[in-house]
Short mmCIF file of all heavy atoms in Angstrom, two decimals:
data_model
loop_
_atom_site.label_atom_id
_atom_site.label_comp_id
_atom_site.label_asym_id
_atom_site.label_seq_id
_atom_site.Cartn_x
_atom_site.Cartn_y
_atom_site.Cartn_z
N LYS A 31 106.71 291.53 108.04
CA LYS A 31 107.27 292.57 108.89
C LYS A 31 106.09 293.37 109.45
O LYS A 31 104.94 292.97 109.31
CB LYS A 31 108.23 293.46 108.10
CG LYS A 31 109.40 292.69 107.50
CD LYS A 31 110.25 292.04 108.55
CE LYS A 31 111.37 291.23 107.92
NZ LYS A 31 112.06 290.35 108.79
N ASP A 32 106.36 294.49 110.07
CA ASP A 32 105.30 295.29 110.71
C ASP A 32 104.16 295.56 109.75
O ASP A 32 102.99 295.42 110.09
CB ASP A 32 105.87 296.61 111.22
CG ASP A 32 106.87 296.39 112.36
OD1 ASP A 32 106.75 295.33 113.01
OD2 ASP A 32 107.73 297.23 112.55
N ASN A 33 104.48 295.97 108.56
CA ASN A 33 103.46 296.24 107.55
C ASN A 33 103.69 295.29 106.38
O ASN A 33 104.65 295.45 105.65
CB ASN A 33 103.52 297.72 107.11
CG ASN A 33 102.44 298.08 106.14
OD1 ASN A 33 101.67 297.20 105.71
ND2 ASN A 33 102.35 299.35 105.81
N PRO A 34 102.81 294.30 106.14
CA PRO A 34 103.05 293.31 105.08
C PRO A 34 103.19 293.92 103.70
O PRO A 34 103.76 293.31 102.82
CB PRO A 34 101.79 292.42 105.17
CG PRO A 34 101.20 292.67 106.49
CD PRO A 34 101.61 294.04 106.89
N GLU A 35 102.68 295.12 103.48
CA GLU A 35 102.81 295.73 102.17
C GLU A 35 104.22 296.22 101.92
O GLU A 35 104.61 296.39 100.78
CB GLU A 35 101.80 296.86 102.02
CG GLU A 35 100.36 296.38 102.01
CD GLU A 35 99.37 297.51 102.00
OE1 GLU A 35 99.78 298.68 101.87
OE2 GLU A 35 98.16 297.24 102.12
N ASP A 36 105.00 296.44 102.98
CA ASP A 36 106.33 296.98 102.85
C ASP A 36 107.36 295.89 102.45
O ASP A 36 108.16 296.08 101.60
CB ASP A 36 106.82 297.65 104.14
CG ASP A 36 106.05 298.95 104.39
OD1 ASP A 36 105.44 299.48 103.45
OD2 ASP A 36 106.03 299.38 105.53
N CYS A 37 107.32 294.77 103.11
CA CYS A 37 108.36 293.76 102.91
C CYS A 37 107.82 292.40 103.32
O CYS A 37 107.24 292.27 104.41
CB CYS A 37 109.59 294.13 103.73
SG CYS A 37 110.92 292.93 103.56
N TRP A 38 108.07 291.40 102.49
CA TRP A 38 107.72 290.02 102.82
C TRP A 38 108.98 289.18 102.70
O TRP A 38 109.78 289.35 101.79
CB TRP A 38 106.67 289.48 101.86
CG TRP A 38 105.31 290.01 102.04
CD1 TRP A 38 104.91 291.15 102.66
CD2 TRP A 38 104.13 289.43 101.53
NE1 TRP A 38 103.56 291.30 102.58
CE2 TRP A 38 103.05 290.26 101.89
CE3 TRP A 38 103.84 288.29 100.81
CZ2 TRP A 38 101.74 289.97 101.57
CZ3 TRP A 38 102.54 287.99 100.50
CH2 TRP A 38 101.49 288.83 100.88
N GLU A 39 109.10 288.24 103.59
CA GLU A 39 110.19 287.26 103.47
C GLU A 39 109.52 285.96 103.02
O GLU A 39 108.62 285.46 103.70
CB GLU A 39 110.87 287.06 104.81
CG GLU A 39 112.04 286.11 104.72
CD GLU A 39 112.73 285.94 106.06
OE1 GLU A 39 112.55 286.78 106.98
OE2 GLU A 39 113.47 284.94 106.22
N ILE A 40 109.95 285.44 101.89
CA ILE A 40 109.35 284.23 101.35
C ILE A 40 110.44 283.20 101.09
O ILE A 40 111.60 283.53 100.92
CB ILE A 40 108.56 284.49 100.06
CG1 ILE A 40 109.44 285.06 98.96
CG2 ILE A 40 107.38 285.39 100.32
CD1 ILE A 40 108.78 285.19 97.62
N SER A 41 110.05 281.94 101.06
CA SER A 41 111.03 280.85 100.79
C SER A 41 111.13 280.69 99.26
O SER A 41 110.25 281.10 98.51
CB SER A 41 110.55 279.55 101.42
OG SER A 41 109.35 279.14 100.80
N LEU A 42 112.24 280.09 98.88
CA LEU A 42 112.43 279.78 97.46
C LEU A 42 111.50 278.64 97.06
O LEU A 42 111.18 277.80 97.89
CB LEU A 42 113.87 279.34 97.19
CG LEU A 42 114.91 280.44 97.27
CD1 LEU A 42 116.32 279.82 97.16
CD2 LEU A 42 114.71 281.46 96.16
N PRO A 43 111.08 278.62 95.81
CA PRO A 43 110.24 277.48 95.38
C PRO A 43 111.04 276.17 95.46
O PRO A 43 112.26 276.17 95.31
CB PRO A 43 109.89 277.83 93.94
CG PRO A 43 110.70 278.98 93.55
CD PRO A 43 111.32 279.57 94.75
N ILE A 44 110.36 275.10 95.72
CA ILE A 44 111.01 273.80 95.83
C ILE A 44 111.53 273.36 94.48
O ILE A 44 112.64 272.92 94.35
CB ILE A 44 110.04 272.74 96.42
CG1 ILE A 44 109.69 273.13 97.86
CG2 ILE A 44 110.64 271.35 96.36
CD1 ILE A 44 108.61 272.30 98.47
N ASN A 45 110.74 273.48 93.45
CA ASN A 45 111.12 273.08 92.11
C ASN A 45 111.33 274.30 91.23
O ASN A 45 110.40 275.07 91.04
CB ASN A 45 110.08 272.18 91.47
CG ASN A 45 109.94 270.89 92.21
OD1 ASN A 45 110.92 270.31 92.67
ND2 ASN A 45 108.73 270.41 92.36
N ILE A 46 112.54 274.48 90.75
CA ILE A 46 112.82 275.59 89.83
C ILE A 46 113.02 274.98 88.45
O ILE A 46 113.86 274.10 88.28
CB ILE A 46 114.07 276.36 90.26
CG1 ILE A 46 113.85 276.97 91.66
CG2 ILE A 46 114.41 277.43 89.25
CD1 ILE A 46 115.04 277.64 92.22
#
Side-chain angles (χ1 to χ4, degrees):
K31 301 299 178 192
D32 294 335
N33 184 354
E35 293 175 6
D36 291 341
C37 179
W38 287 18
E39 183 179 342
I40 60 172
S41 66
L42 289 173
I44 294 171
N45 296 321
I46 299 175

